Amino acid sequence: MAKIGFIGLGNMGAPMARNLIKAGHEVQVFDLNQHVVSQLAEEGATACKNAVDVTVDAQFVISMLPAAKHVQQLYLGENGLIECLSQDTLVIDCSTIDAASAKHVGETLESKGISFVDAPVSGGVAGAAAGTLTFIVGGDDAHFEAVKPILENMGKNIFHAGAMGAGQVAKICNNMLLSILMAGTSEAIQMGINHGLDPKVLSDIMLSSSGRNWTLELYNPCPGVIDSVPSSNNYEPGFMVDLMAKDLGLAMEAAQHSGSATPLGALSKNLYTLLQNQGAGKQDFSSIFTLFEKK
Ligand code: NAD
């Protein structure tokens, strides 16, 4: 069993840390939100007062933070963890951030002998709770082999995408596609409703037809079709519109850097920005369904 530091106990981080505790690891946790730190402590974690305490004797430090600025600040900012991490610690950043920032943080840590992989995830809050996440790892072979058994406590599929930063590129390709599928599924169901179809029946038909996709199967955006998904719970996240809009910004940067044509990704980014501008930033991203509603 390993001693693991975990920083960032939000919608994703808390259930991920819980699975490490269940697997028998010694987990020391920190979040700016003290309430969730206390909750995890009741479930067997060691509560830490700050991020530095999390690193003490840790073989692995895992971070699950909102965006690149938080990751940069945590590791490289004022009083950053780079000053206190030991060369025996392997850092695993699971946040979704741009590949350039991941490489910058990783290379700066590695220049001090501290090992790093980027390991963003897919599978949502339900996957985090069930321990069935997909991890997409960027880093060298030895580091990948070292982190795999730890990640297997939180996920079902552990992929090695390539060198440092490659995990983030693969993740952003996936999320661009997910945003397009969610928008497309939403407009199709709304059109069906506008013609008097039952959204549950229509969803079942499309699930058995060529329109089948992950959002229809596991995350239907229409309230009442699937119990226990955000759309059936007032679009409580889940995965916030703000985070999807951030990811689409990263996707557009990645497209520009590589000269890739991503017209549907660009349209999707605009749709999610529109949703943000309507005040839905903190709602689940499946609330894009409401954009297509005929009032
Ligand atoms: P969240 O906002 O629910 O959680 C982030 C947590 O980080 C919060 O609890 C916040 O208090 C904490 N935090 C921020 N700065 C901190 C700091 N300096 N020190 C300690 N704690 C700090 O976000 P989330 O939904 O858990 O997403 C986390 C990351 O995972 C994001 O990059 C997101 O894009 C990605 N992601 C989310 C999902 C999803 O379905 N929610 C799925 C895949 C990937």
Side-chain angles (χ1 to χ4, degrees), residues 130-211:
T132 56
L133 290 172
T134 294
F135 283 87
I136 313 163
V137 181
D140 72 24
D141 291 346
H143 294 158
F144 175 71
E145 292 306 326
V147 301
K148 196 166 177 249
I150 300 299
L151 301 184
E152 278 169 347
N153 298 138
M154 301 178 283
K156 197 169 60 170
N157 301 300
I158 320 295
F159 287 103
H160 190 189
M164 199 187 283
Q168 296 294 355
V169 174
K171 166 70 187 169
I172 227 61
C173 291
N174 178 72
N175 271 27
M176 184 176 78
L177 177 58
L178 170 63
S179 73
I180 294 165
L181 291 173
M182 188 57 91
T185 298
S186 294
E187 70 180 39
I189 295 176
Q190 289 284 21
M191 186 167 82
I193 290 171
N194 293 341
H195 282 270
L197 296 189
D198 178 332
K200 169 92 177 77
V201 173
L202 174 60
S203 296
D204 286 344
I205 291 167
M206 294 194 292
L207 264 178
S208 299
S209 307
S210 41

Side-chain angles (χ1 to χ4, degrees), residues 5-276:
F6 205 113
I7 302 165
L9 306 164
N11 289 318
M12 294 296 286
M16 288 165 69
R18 243 173 231 128
N19 282 327
L20 291 174
I21 298 167
K22 277 189 207 146
H25 297 291
E26 207 176 316
V27 185
Q28 4 196 75
V29 297
F30 175 67
D31 192 290
L32 297 176
N33 174 356
Q34 273 306 307
H35 176 66
V36 70
V37 174
S38 310
Q39 250 179 1
L40 265 285
E42 278 172 24
E43 296 173 44
T46 303
C48 295
K49 288 198 182 64
N50 52 53
V52 171
D53 288 355
V54 162
T55 66
V56 176
D57 297 331
Q59 293 154 266
F60 300 91
V61 164
I62 301 177
S63 43
M64 190 52 163
L65 300 174
K69 64 177 180 192
H70 307 95
V71 178
Q72 303 234 29
Q73 176 65 35
L74 175 71
Y75 291 104
L76 310 181
E78 207 181 323
N79 302 320
L81 298 187
I82 192 165
E83 302 301 337
C84 63
L85 278 163
S86 123
Q87 295 194 349
D88 298 327
T89 307
L90 207 164
V91 171
I92 307 172
D93 180 44
C94 295
S95 326
T96 302
I97 64 175
D98 62 289
S101 297
K103 278 171 81 171
H104 175 61
V105 172
E107 284 168 0
T108 313
L109 290 175
E110 293 206 340
S111 72
K112 292 241 182 169
I114 304 155
S115 307
F116 174 92
V117 297
D118 47 298
V121 306
S122 178
V125 174
T132 56
L133 290 172
T134 294
F135 283 87
I136 313 163
V137 181
D140 72 24
D141 291 346
H143 294 158
F144 175 71
E145 292 306 326
V147 301
K148 196 166 177 249
I150 300 299
L151 301 184
E152 278 169 347
N153 298 138
M154 301 178 283
K156 197 169 60 170
N157 301 300
I158 320 295
F159 287 103
H160 190 189
M164 199 187 283
Q168 296 294 355
V169 174
K171 166 70 187 169
I172 227 61
C173 291
N174 178 72
N175 271 27
M176 184 176 78
L177 177 58
L178 170 63
S179 73
I180 294 165
L181 291 173
M182 188 57 91
T185 298
S186 294
E187 70 180 39
I189 295 176
Q190 289 284 21
M191 186 167 82
I193 290 171
N194 293 341
H195 282 270
L197 296 189
D198 178 332
K200 169 92 177 77
V201 173
L202 174 60
S203 296
D204 286 344
I205 291 167
M206 294 194 292
L207 264 178
S208 299
S209 307
S210 41
R212 176 178 192 151
N213 69 77
W214 184 89
T215 69
L216 263 181
E217 196 176 341
L218 296 171
Y219 215 103
N220 196 300
C222 178
V225 174
I226 301 179
D227 293 339
S228 76
V229 296
S231 61
S232 296
N233 187 25
N234 291 320
Y235 295 108
E236 285 285 317
F239 182 44
M240 282 186 280
V241 169
D242 280 346
L243 289 177
M244 180 54 98
K246 172 206 70 169
D247 287 358
L248 287 167
L250 300 179
M252 293 304 98
E253 275 173 37
Q256 196 172 11
H257 287 154
S258 54
S260 308
T262 54
L264 296 181
L267 175 58
S268 183
K269 168 147 186 2
N270 276 300
L271 289 172
Y272 282 93
T273 303
L274 192 62
L275 199 57
Q276 268 184 314

